[in-house]
Amino acid sequence: MVNPVHPAPVHRCGVHGVPEIIINKVVMKELDIWYGKIHALKSLNMNIFKNEILGIIGPANSGKTSFLRQLNRLNDLELNYKAIGEVLLDDKDIQSINPEVLRRRVGMIFALPQVLPISIYDNIAYGPRMHGTKDRKRLDAIVEETLNASFLWDEVKDRLLESATKLSGGQQQRLCISRTLALDPEIILFDEPCSGLDPISTAKVEESMLKLKEKCTIVLVTNNTKQAARVSDRTAFFLMGELIEIDTTEKIFTAPSDKRTEGYILGKFG
Amino acid sequence: MKTTTKQKIAFAILFLCTVIVVLPVLFVLAVVIKNGWPAINWEFLTTMPRNNMKAGGIYPAIMGTIYLVSLSTLFSLPIGLFAAIYLNEYAEENMLTRLIRLAIVNLAGVSSVVYGLFGLVMFVTFLKFGVSILSGALTLAIMNLPVIITASVEALASVPYSFREVSRSLGASRWQTIRHSVLPFAIPGILTGAILSLARAAGETAPILFTVAAFYLPNLPHSVFDQAMALPYHLYIISTQIPGIPQQMRYATALVLVGIVFSMNIFAVIIRSKFRKKKKW
């Protein structure tokens, strides 16, 4: 299926992208979002490809987070929220999927590391337990596997039962990644995941993203355009609730077709 | 005037006010302990009153108060907690919920004798529970509900919203989220509020006056439909209704009552301080 507005490129040439067959993981059709009278997202048409890292950039109030929270229906928790249009996940309207099941398939990492004040182990086991996994051995395996995937295992393997709040900010954020991975999601949404982290922690989070891409589809909202340039295969630029441009990261950062994209990337506003 | 002088005067006034707050409490305690302590002994705490209550112990009154407080907790804590969960976690903000909140705040301010009269009409007469432990406990429970609800709502609201968001984002349902990501962190605050309100229930005279309290009973109550003696009411009658009671016995009774209320409050403080140590977000 080809997006009528933004035709899919023949091959992806993000920093780490390799040409491969393109499958649409998510398709959005004429999506509008309101919070009360605020029109947060305006008739959005776009696709997310399977196994890509899609970077979303744009100034504050451009609709990036509204867009992200639509994908796992976290917007449903907001008061006065209303949406029109379709979001298709694997060709199925997400409104017809039970939100609890959907959120298991579409995981989310928040801007600030949001660990629960319980043990490292319990943080990771939280999701599987909520979905009925009680078997201790299975949970042990999930904890080790997901901590390895976020490169945290070696740092915390001896203190899994200590409170997660004792970890540093960067470790907490990687713990959040593990916690999301524990549900084996198909898509992971990153909402400015490195905004509170130092450069070394940021590098570690980015490293795990690139590894995760092999298995999952990643949407990365970031205020840091350099981060989008570093890790994403394609980049979309949002402004005032509108999608201005979406293309390969290389194209967006070297030859954007819209003046506003160029202005934002060069730091003229935002 | 120099800034430092002004500051010293301000501090002095603040300190004085604090002392004025604390002094009466210390004074009351001192008087009660000084006059009551000599009369407190094992016999006083564990035997029935004798000789028209002029001698013997206050055992039935202590037990009556314990029965009343426990039974009223059984009613008020679950109902109050569930109502608080509904109000804080589920209810939408509209006219009705605003009205309910307003009612709760106002109910907390209604004087206790009004609850006593309500209990008399509602439980004793209308529901035909008679003058009984059940009627008294229900009356105390109704009196405590607004306090427990308010404390519980505050405890729930103090749990960061992000906990709920994280839990929901991990695919937990609304109830799972409340059960696993909100309640565990609110329970200590809820317990603190509940214990404080129970301490108040233990000390109130008016709500039990018409609904349960007996002047004198030769036996302990056998069921919740029996009348019972209770400490505050007992203190009231031996202080005003029976001449010739040794002064010491009155103060000793007061000391036992104050002791029960105090130990409950201290228990609440301990729970709260433990919670503060654990709370790290």
Side-chain angles (χ1 to χ4, degrees):
Chain A
M1 186 171 180
V2 175
N3 187 317
V5 182
H6 305 281
V10 179
H11 62 87
R12 295 146 56 198
C13 43
V15 187
H16 305 273
V18 279
E20 60 186 77
I21 302 161
I22 288 162
I23 303 166
N24 278 322
K25 185 72 187 168
V26 181
V27 178
M28 270 147 280
K29 289 181 187 164
E30 291 298 323
L31 181 65
D32 278 275
I33 297 177
W34 285 271
Y35 301 103
K37 283 181 182 155
I38 300 163
H39 198 173
L41 216 56
K42 295 165 191 162
S43 54
L44 176 73
N45 287 291
M46 70 183 268
N47 300 0
I48 301 170
F49 302 145
K50 199 169 180 233
N51 295 92
E52 76 169 340
I53 297 182
L54 174 64
I56 310 278
I57 58 171
N61 295 323
S62 55
K64 298 172 299 197
T65 300
S66 311
F67 164 78
L68 211 58
R69 285 169 168 249
Q70 186 67 18
L71 295 175
N72 65 351
R73 289 181 61 185
L74 213 55
N75 274 332
D76 291 12
L77 307 190
E78 303 292 329
L79 288 172
N80 300 320
Y81 148 81
K82 199 176 82 180
I84 305 182
E86 271 186 321
V87 180
L88 305 176
L89 172 64
D90 289 337
D91 294 326
K92 199 171 173 207
D93 191 338
I94 59 165
Q95 294 303 323
S96 68
I97 305 173
N98 177 329
E100 273 102 56
V101 175
L102 176 73
R103 290 182 195 132
R104 193 178 177 175
R105 295 173 61 190
V106 184
M108 185 164 203
I109 311 291
F110 294 87
L112 294 170
Q114 303 283 14
V115 300
L116 297 169
I118 49 182
S119 73
I120 295 171
Y121 187 100
D122 288 339
N123 261 283
I124 297 175
Y126 189 90
R129 277 178 179 152
M130 291 303 111
H131 291 96
T133 308
K134 295 249 161 57
D135 180 39
R136 187 79 191 186
K137 277 185 189 146
R138 178 89 196 91
L139 290 174
D140 286 350
I142 291 174
V143 168
E144 180 167 353
E145 200 177 297
T146 56
L147 281 173
N148 269 318
S150 66
F151 305 107
L152 194 58
W153 175 251
D154 290 334
E155 291 162 56
V156 301
K157 65 182 173 200
D158 299 323
R159 44 179 179 143
L160 292 176
L161 299 181
E162 280 179 34
S163 175
T165 50
K166 285 184 184 162
L167 298 174
S168 74
Q171 289 174 325
Q172 288 190 14
Q173 194 60 304
R174 279 181 285 148
L175 174 61
C176 290
I177 294 176
S178 296
R179 186 174 61 188
T180 301
L181 290 178
L183 290 170
D184 201 12
E186 298 157 34
I187 301 178
I188 305 179
L189 313 170
F190 287 84
D191 188 1
E192 297 171 30
C194 303
S195 53
L197 303 187
D198 63 272
I200 294 170
S201 303
T202 301
K204 284 183 180 166
V205 170
E206 287 175 5
E207 193 184 350
S208 48
M209 268 187 235
L210 292 170
K211 186 147 184 287
L212 291 176
K213 192 175 78 160
E214 294 160 16
K215 275 172 69 188
C216 324
T217 305
I218 291 176
V219 184
L220 166 67
V221 162
T222 177
N223 274 327
N224 180 346
T225 47
K226 288 190 185 116
Q227 181 172 52
R230 276 197 300 270
V231 297
S232 55
D233 300 310
R234 288 194 307 156
T235 300
F237 174 59
F238 280 60
L239 184 64
M240 310 281 287
E242 279 178 87
L243 172 65
I244 304 299
E245 194 173 351
I246 178 168
D247 216 322
T248 60
T249 299
E250 198 181 66
K251 175 104 190 321
I252 291 278
F253 282 92
T254 53
S257 40
D258 196 291
K259 276 249 168 348
R260 291 169 289 183
T261 313
E262 192 180 352
Y264 180 73
I265 289 165
L266 295 176
K268 283 181 185 154
F269 65 93
Chain B
M1 214 191 296
K2 271 166 56 181
T3 323
T4 47
T5 322
K6 275 192 204 165
Q7 176 167 294
K8 270 181 192 159
I9 291 172
F11 280 164
I13 292 171
L14 295 176
F15 179 70
L16 207 69
C17 290
T18 315
V19 171
I20 290 171
V21 170
V22 176
L23 267 185
V25 179
L26 292 179
F27 193 64
V28 167
L29 272 182
V31 168
V32 171
I33 291 175
K34 182 175 170 289
N35 294 307
W37 186 252
I40 299 247
N41 53 43
W42 192 245
E43 195 205 342
F44 184 71
L45 295 176
T46 57
T47 60
M48 307 294 284
R50 279 179 283 115
N51 191 15
N52 287 334
M53 297 195 270
K54 283 173 191 155
I58 54 166
Y59 182 62
I62 295 177
M63 287 316 287
T65 289
I66 291 176
Y67 289 150
L68 282 172
V69 170
S70 333
L71 194 61
S72 79
T73 315
L74 218 61
F75 292 121
S76 59
L77 190 55
I79 296 177
L81 177 57
F82 291 147
I85 291 176
Y86 177 74
L87 282 176
N88 197 62
E89 304 293 326
Y90 282 97
E92 281 172 31
E93 200 57 39
N94 56 31
M95 266 311 275
L96 181 69
T97 48
R98 246 171 285 164
L99 215 66
I100 292 174
R101 278 172 221 272
L102 190 71
I104 290 168
V105 171
N106 279 312
L107 276 177
V110 170
S111 82
S112 56
V113 70
V114 177
Y115 284 108
L117 285 172
F118 169 77
L120 175 65
V121 173
M122 186 70 194
F123 303 121
V124 178
T125 314
F126 181 71
L127 292 175
K128 297 197 173 64
F129 294 152
V131 176
S132 63
I133 295 180
L134 184 61
S135 298
L138 285 170
T139 310
L140 288 174
I142 299 258
M143 182 187 80
N144 273 339
L145 267 181
V147 185
I148 290 182
I149 292 175
T150 310
S152 304
V153 165
E154 265 166 35
L156 290 168
S158 75
V159 177
Y161 181 72
S162 62
F163 289 13
R164 299 170 177 85
E165 221 171 42
V166 164
S167 175
R168 296 299 291 278
S169 83
L170 291 168
S173 70
R174 207 164 180 176
W175 173 244
Q176 280 179 321
T177 298
I178 292 168
R179 170 73 188 74
H180 297 281
S181 281
V182 180
L183 264 188
F185 309 112
I187 282 288
I190 292 168
L191 281 184
T192 310
I195 293 168
L196 291 179
S197 77
L198 293 178
R200 184 184 160 214
E204 281 284 358
T205 315
I208 57 171
L209 191 58
F210 320 119
T211 52
V212 51
F215 190 85
Y216 170 73
L217 293 170
N219 299 310
L220 287 181
H222 296 295
S223 80
V224 292
F225 293 105
D226 285 348
Q227 274 187 284
M229 295 171 73
L231 273 176
Y233 184 64
H234 185 68
L235 181 58
Y236 166 70
I237 52 176
I238 61 173
S239 305
T240 60
Q241 310 293 309
I242 307 173
I245 286 196
Q247 185 81 339
Q248 274 193 347
M249 269 188 79
R250 294 178 194 160
Y251 279 105
T253 308
L255 182 55
V256 170
L257 180 56
V258 171
I260 289 177
V261 172
F262 243 65
S263 45
M264 286 172 91
N265 286 355
I266 288 171
F267 188 54
V269 170
I270 291 171
I271 287 184
R272 197 163 38 191
S273 71
K274 278 209 163 149
F275 174 54
R276 286 225 181 98
K277 270 183 214 141
K278 251 179 93 183
K279 178 174 166 177
K280 279 189 193 126
W281 59 75

PDB file of all heavy atoms in Angstrom, chain A residues 54-79:
ATOM      1  N   LEU A  54      11.658   5.950  12.830  1.00  0.00           N
ATOM      2  CA  LEU A  54      11.093   7.178  12.274  1.00  0.00           C
ATOM      3  C   LEU A  54      11.300   8.290  13.282  1.00  0.00           C
ATOM      4  O   LEU A  54      10.804   8.215  14.407  1.00  0.00           O
ATOM      5  CB  LEU A  54       9.599   6.990  11.991  1.00  0.00           C
ATOM      6  CG  LEU A  54       8.848   8.252  11.550  1.00  0.00           C
ATOM      7  CD1 LEU A  54       9.364   8.762  10.209  1.00  0.00           C
ATOM      8  CD2 LEU A  54       7.346   7.995  11.469  1.00  0.00           C
ATOM      9  N   GLY A  55      12.078   9.296  12.907  1.00  0.00           N
ATOM     10  CA  GLY A  55      12.292  10.432  13.790  1.00  0.00           C
ATOM     11  C   GLY A  55      11.209  11.475  13.567  1.00  0.00           C
ATOM     12  O   GLY A  55      10.811  11.730  12.433  1.00  0.00           O
ATOM     13  N   ILE A  56      10.697  12.046  14.668  1.00  0.00           N
ATOM     14  CA  ILE A  56       9.708  13.118  14.559  1.00  0.00           C
ATOM     15  C   ILE A  56      10.332  14.353  15.179  1.00  0.00           C
ATOM     16  O   ILE A  56      10.676  14.351  16.363  1.00  0.00           O
ATOM     17  CB  ILE A  56       8.410  12.781  15.338  1.00  0.00           C
ATOM     18  CG1 ILE A  56       7.907  11.384  14.980  1.00  0.00           C
ATOM     19  CG2 ILE A  56       7.362  13.848  15.109  1.00  0.00           C
ATOM     20  CD1 ILE A  56       7.113  11.296  13.730  1.00  0.00           C
ATOM     21  N   ILE A  57      10.512  15.402  14.386  1.00  0.00           N
ATOM     22  CA  ILE A  57      11.067  16.635  14.937  1.00  0.00           C
ATOM     23  C   ILE A  57      10.072  17.763  14.752  1.00  0.00           C
ATOM     24  O   ILE A  57       9.116  17.652  13.969  1.00  0.00           O
ATOM     25  CB  ILE A  57      12.416  17.003  14.276  1.00  0.00           C
ATOM     26  CG1 ILE A  57      12.243  17.144  12.754  1.00  0.00           C
ATOM     27  CG2 ILE A  57      13.485  15.967  14.596  1.00  0.00           C
ATOM     28  CD1 ILE A  57      13.471  17.715  12.056  1.00  0.00           C
ATOM     29  N   GLY A  58      10.299  18.835  15.465  1.00  0.00           N
ATOM     30  CA  GLY A  58       9.412  19.984  15.375  1.00  0.00           C
ATOM     31  C   GLY A  58       9.447  20.755  16.678  1.00  0.00           C
ATOM     32  O   GLY A  58       9.791  20.204  17.713  1.00  0.00           O
ATOM     33  N   PRO A  59       9.083  22.047  16.629  1.00  0.00           N
ATOM     34  CA  PRO A  59       9.115  22.865  17.847  1.00  0.00           C
ATOM     35  C   PRO A  59       8.009  22.446  18.828  1.00  0.00           C
ATOM     36  O   PRO A  59       7.216  21.573  18.528  1.00  0.00           O
ATOM     37  CB  PRO A  59       8.897  24.285  17.320  1.00  0.00           C
ATOM     38  CG  PRO A  59       8.217  24.123  16.017  1.00  0.00           C
ATOM     39  CD  PRO A  59       8.660  22.810  15.456  1.00  0.00           C
ATOM     40  N   ALA A  60       7.986  23.096  19.991  1.00  0.00           N
ATOM     41  CA  ALA A  60       6.950  22.810  20.982  1.00  0.00           C
ATOM     42  C   ALA A  60       5.572  23.056  20.385  1.00  0.00           C
ATOM     43  O   ALA A  60       5.409  23.874  19.471  1.00  0.00           O
ATOM     44  CB  ALA A  60       7.152  23.695  22.211  1.00  0.00           C
ATOM     45  N   ASN A  61       4.574  22.344  20.863  1.00  0.00           N
ATOM     46  CA  ASN A  61       3.188  22.465  20.398  1.00  0.00           C
ATOM     47  C   ASN A  61       3.006  22.143  18.920  1.00  0.00           C
ATOM     48  O   ASN A  61       2.096  22.648  18.286  1.00  0.00           O
ATOM     49  CB  ASN A  61       2.637  23.882  20.646  1.00  0.00           C
ATOM     50  CG  ASN A  61       2.540  24.171  22.118  1.00  0.00           C
ATOM     51  OD1 ASN A  61       2.206  23.281  22.901  1.00  0.00           O
ATOM     52  ND2 ASN A  61       2.858  25.396  22.497  1.00  0.00           N
ATOM     53  N   SER A  62       3.893  21.322  18.381  1.00  0.00           N
ATOM     54  CA  SER A  62       3.719  21.004  16.964  1.00  0.00           C
ATOM     55  C   SER A  62       2.885  19.745  16.769  1.00  0.00           C
ATOM     56  O   SER A  62       2.590  19.369  15.652  1.00  0.00           O
ATOM     57  CB  SER A  62       5.089  20.839  16.301  1.00  0.00           C
ATOM     58  OG  SER A  62       5.838  19.865  16.995  1.00  0.00           O
ATOM     59  N   GLY A  63       2.507  19.075  17.870  1.00  0.00           N
ATOM     60  CA  GLY A  63       1.664  17.887  17.753  1.00  0.00           C
ATOM     61  C   GLY A  63       2.418  16.583  17.797  1.00  0.00           C
ATOM     62  O   GLY A  63       1.825  15.521  17.594  1.00  0.00           O
ATOM     63  N   LYS A  64       3.729  16.648  18.087  1.00  0.00           N
ATOM     64  CA  LYS A  64       4.532  15.421  18.089  1.00  0.00           C
ATOM     65  C   LYS A  64       4.036  14.420  19.118  1.00  0.00           C
ATOM     66  O   LYS A  64       3.829  13.235  18.824  1.00  0.00           O
ATOM     67  CB  LYS A  64       6.006  15.751  18.437  1.00  0.00           C
ATOM     68  CG  LYS A  64       6.692  16.660  17.448  1.00  0.00           C
ATOM     69  CD  LYS A  64       8.057  17.076  17.993  1.00  0.00           C
ATOM     70  CE  LYS A  64       7.874  17.831  19.287  1.00  0.00           C
ATOM     71  NZ  LYS A  64       8.944  18.632  19.782  1.00  0.00           N
ATOM     72  N   THR A  65       3.853  14.920  20.346  1.00  0.00           N
ATOM     73  CA  THR A  65       3.466  14.004  21.419  1.00  0.00           C
ATOM     74  C   THR A  65       2.031  13.515  21.243  1.00  0.00           C
ATOM     75  O   THR A  65       1.723  12.353  21.506  1.00  0.00           O
ATOM     76  CB  THR A  65       3.669  14.684  22.782  1.00  0.00           C
ATOM     77  OG1 THR A  65       5.054  15.021  22.904  1.00  0.00           O
ATOM     78  CG2 THR A  65       3.304  13.770  23.924  1.00  0.00           C
ATOM     79  N   SER A  66       1.151  14.405  20.755  1.00  0.00           N
ATOM     80  CA  SER A  66      -0.231  13.985  20.480  1.00  0.00           C
ATOM     81  C   SER A  66      -0.239  12.852  19.472  1.00  0.00           C
ATOM     82  O   SER A  66      -0.966  11.871  19.617  1.00  0.00           O
ATOM     83  CB  SER A  66      -1.041  15.143  19.904  1.00  0.00           C
ATOM     84  OG  SER A  66      -0.875  16.291  20.677  1.00  0.00           O
ATOM     85  N   PHE A  67       0.614  12.990  18.473  1.00  0.00           N
ATOM     86  CA  PHE A  67       0.757  11.977  17.435  1.00  0.00           C
ATOM     87  C   PHE A  67       1.190  10.644  18.060  1.00  0.00           C
ATOM     88  O   PHE A  67       0.601   9.596  17.822  1.00  0.00           O
ATOM     89  CB  PHE A  67       1.792  12.470  16.414  1.00  0.00           C
ATOM     90  CG  PHE A  67       2.329  11.407  15.507  1.00  0.00           C
ATOM     91  CD1 PHE A  67       1.586  10.954  14.434  1.00  0.00           C
ATOM     92  CD2 PHE A  67       3.595  10.868  15.733  1.00  0.00           C
ATOM     93  CE1 PHE A  67       2.096   9.968  13.600  1.00  0.00           C
ATOM     94  CE2 PHE A  67       4.095   9.890  14.903  1.00  0.00           C
ATOM     95  CZ  PHE A  67       3.349   9.433  13.838  1.00  0.00           C
ATOM     96  N   LEU A  68       2.211  10.737  18.918  1.00  0.00           N
ATOM     97  CA  LEU A  68       2.761   9.539  19.538  1.00  0.00           C
ATOM     98  C   LEU A  68       1.727   8.844  20.409  1.00  0.00           C
ATOM     99  O   LEU A  68       1.549   7.628  20.358  1.00  0.00           O
ATOM    100  CB  LEU A  68       3.971   9.944  20.385  1.00  0.00           C
ATOM    101  CG  LEU A  68       5.097   8.941  20.528  1.00  0.00           C
ATOM    102  CD1 LEU A  68       5.629   8.565  19.178  1.00  0.00           C
ATOM    103  CD2 LEU A  68       6.203   9.523  21.383  1.00  0.00           C
ATOM    104  N   ARG A  69       1.029   9.647  21.224  1.00  0.00           N
ATOM    105  CA  ARG A  69       0.074   9.073  22.165  1.00  0.00           C
ATOM    106  C   ARG A  69      -1.177   8.542  21.476  1.00  0.00           C
ATOM    107  O   ARG A  69      -1.966   7.833  22.088  1.00  0.00           O
ATOM    108  CB  ARG A  69      -0.323  10.122  23.208  1.00  0.00           C
ATOM    109  CG  ARG A  69       0.780  10.329  24.199  1.00  0.00           C
ATOM    110  CD  ARG A  69       0.540  11.519  25.079  1.00  0.00           C
ATOM    111  NE  ARG A  69       1.491  11.495  26.176  1.00  0.00           N
ATOM    112  CZ  ARG A  69       1.161  11.271  27.438  1.00  0.00           C
ATOM    113  NH1 ARG A  69      -0.092  11.105  27.770  1.00  0.00           N
ATOM    114  NH2 ARG A  69       2.078  11.225  28.374  1.00  0.00           N
ATOM    115  N   GLN A  70      -1.341   8.913  20.212  1.00  0.00           N
ATOM    116  CA  GLN A  70      -2.446   8.346  19.460  1.00  0.00           C
ATOM    117  C   GLN A  70      -2.163   6.887  19.126  1.00  0.00           C
ATOM    118  O   GLN A  70      -3.061   6.059  19.078  1.00  0.00           O
ATOM    119  CB  GLN A  70      -2.675   9.170  18.185  1.00  0.00           C
ATOM    120  CG  GLN A  70      -3.890   8.768  17.382  1.00  0.00           C
ATOM    121  CD  GLN A  70      -5.184   9.072  18.121  1.00  0.00           C
ATOM    122  OE1 GLN A  70      -5.206   9.859  19.047  1.00  0.00           O
ATOM    123  NE2 GLN A  70      -6.253   8.422  17.702  1.00  0.00           N
ATOM    124  N   LEU A  71      -0.885   6.599  18.917  1.00  0.00           N
ATOM    125  CA  LEU A  71      -0.519   5.272  18.429  1.00  0.00           C
ATOM    126  C   LEU A  71      -0.749   4.174  19.464  1.00  0.00           C
ATOM    127  O   LEU A  71      -0.973   3.027  19.107  1.00  0.00           O
ATOM    128  CB  LEU A  71       0.946   5.254  17.969  1.00  0.00           C
ATOM    129  CG  LEU A  71       1.256   6.140  16.764  1.00  0.00           C
ATOM    130  CD1 LEU A  71       2.742   6.142  16.470  1.00  0.00           C
ATOM    131  CD2 LEU A  71       0.484   5.667  15.546  1.00  0.00           C
ATOM    132  N   ASN A  72      -0.655   4.520  20.769  1.00  0.00           N
ATOM    133  CA  ASN A  72      -0.981   3.492  21.763  1.00  0.00           C
ATOM    134  C   ASN A  72      -2.264   3.858  22.525  1.00  0.00           C
ATOM    135  O   ASN A  72      -2.546   3.310  23.581  1.00  0.00           O
ATOM    136  CB  ASN A  72       0.179   3.259  22.742  1.00  0.00           C
ATOM    137  CG  ASN A  72       0.482   4.472  23.599  1.00  0.00           C
ATOM    138  OD1 ASN A  72      -0.044   5.550  23.368  1.00  0.00           O
ATOM    139  ND2 ASN A  72       1.330   4.285  24.599  1.00  0.00           N
ATOM    140  N   ARG A  73      -2.997   4.802  21.975  1.00  0.00           N
ATOM    141  CA  ARG A  73      -4.273   5.248  22.553  1.00  0.00           C
ATOM    142  C   ARG A  73      -4.134   5.748  23.979  1.00  0.00           C
ATOM    143  O   ARG A  73      -5.069   5.658  24.771  1.00  0.00           O
ATOM    144  CB  ARG A  73      -5.331   4.148  22.459  1.00  0.00           C
ATOM    145  CG  ARG A  73      -5.795   3.924  21.022  1.00  0.00           C
ATOM    146  CD  ARG A  73      -6.843   2.864  20.899  1.00  0.00           C
ATOM    147  NE  ARG A  73      -8.062   3.187  21.641  1.00  0.00           N
ATOM    148  CZ  ARG A  73      -9.095   2.355  21.752  1.00  0.00           C
ATOM    149  NH1 ARG A  73      -9.070   1.191  21.152  1.00  0.00           N
ATOM    150  NH2 ARG A  73     -10.151   2.699  22.432  1.00  0.00           N
ATOM    151  N   LEU A  74      -2.975   6.289  24.313  1.00  0.00           N
ATOM    152  CA  LEU A  74      -2.818   6.891  25.632  1.00  0.00           C
ATOM    153  C   LEU A  74      -3.584   8.213  25.698  1.00  0.00           C
ATOM    154  O   LEU A  74      -3.906   8.718  26.764  1.00  0.00           O
ATOM    155  CB  LEU A  74      -1.333   7.110  25.952  1.00  0.00           C
ATOM    156  CG  LEU A  74      -0.941   6.969  27.421  1.00  0.00           C
ATOM    157  CD1 LEU A  74      -1.361   5.620  27.980  1.00  0.00           C
ATOM    158  CD2 LEU A  74       0.548   7.154  27.615  1.00  0.00           C
ATOM    159  N   ASN A  75      -3.878   8.756  24.515  1.00  0.00           N
ATOM    160  CA  ASN A  75      -4.720   9.954  24.456  1.00  0.00           C
ATOM    161  C   ASN A  75      -6.092   9.708  25.075  1.00  0.00           C
ATOM    162  O   ASN A  75      -6.727  10.642  25.551  1.00  0.00           O
ATOM    163  CB  ASN A  75      -4.919  10.391  23.004  1.00  0.00           C
ATOM    164  CG  ASN A  75      -3.788  11.281  22.521  1.00  0.00           C
ATOM    165  OD1 ASN A  75      -3.167  11.978  23.315  1.00  0.00           O
ATOM    166  ND2 ASN A  75      -3.513  11.244  21.224  1.00  0.00           N
ATOM    167  N   ASP A  76      -6.518   8.445  25.066  1.00  0.00           N
ATOM    168  CA  ASP A  76      -7.830   8.118  25.634  1.00  0.00           C
ATOM    169  C   ASP A  76      -7.952   8.558  27.088  1.00  0.00           C
ATOM    170  O   ASP A  76      -9.050   8.775  27.591  1.00  0.00           O
ATOM    171  CB  ASP A  76      -8.085   6.604  25.561  1.00  0.00           C
ATOM    172  CG  ASP A  76      -8.269   6.124  24.124  1.00  0.00           C
ATOM    173  OD1 ASP A  76      -7.979   6.920  23.205  1.00  0.00           O
ATOM    174  OD2 ASP A  76      -8.690   4.971  23.938  1.00  0.00           O
ATOM    175  N   LEU A  77      -6.806   8.665  27.785  1.00  0.00           N
ATOM    176  CA  LEU A  77      -6.850   9.028  29.205  1.00  0.00           C
ATOM    177  C   LEU A  77      -7.115  10.510  29.412  1.00  0.00           C
ATOM    178  O   LEU A  77      -7.443  10.939  30.500  1.00  0.00           O
ATOM    179  CB  LEU A  77      -5.532   8.675  29.903  1.00  0.00           C
ATOM    180  CG  LEU A  77      -4.975   7.255  29.783  1.00  0.00           C
ATOM    181  CD1 LEU A  77      -3.811   7.066  30.734  1.00  0.00           C
ATOM    182  CD2 LEU A  77      -6.037   6.221  30.066  1.00  0.00           C
ATOM    183  N   GLU A  78      -6.933  11.304  28.344  1.00  0.00           N
ATOM    184  CA  GLU A  78      -7.069  12.756  28.492  1.00  0.00           C
ATOM    185  C   GLU A  78      -8.536  13.155  28.541  1.00  0.00           C
ATOM    186  O   GLU A  78      -9.389  12.522  27.924  1.00  0.00           O
ATOM    187  CB  GLU A  78      -6.401  13.479  27.310  1.00  0.00           C
ATOM    188  CG  GLU A  78      -4.944  13.147  27.109  1.00  0.00           C
ATOM    189  CD  GLU A  78      -4.064  13.670  28.224  1.00  0.00           C
ATOM    190  OE1 GLU A  78      -4.397  14.719  28.800  1.00  0.00           O
ATOM    191  OE2 GLU A  78      -3.065  13.006  28.531  1.00  0.00           O
ATOM    192  N   LEU A  79      -8.801  14.242  29.264  1.00  0.00           N
ATOM    193  CA  LEU A  79     -10.149  14.792  29.281  1.00  0.00           C
ATOM    194  C   LEU A  79     -10.383  15.569  27.983  1.00  0.00           C
ATOM    195  O   LEU A  79      -9.448  16.133  27.417  1.00  0.00           O
ATOM    196  CB  LEU A  79     -10.312  15.756  30.463  1.00  0.00           C
ATOM    197  CG  LEU A  79     -10.367  15.118  31.851  1.00  0.00           C
ATOM    198  CD1 LEU A  79     -10.323  16.210  32.900  1.00  0.00           C
ATOM    199  CD2 LEU A  79     -11.609  14.274  32.017  1.00  0.00           C
TER     200      LEU A  79
END
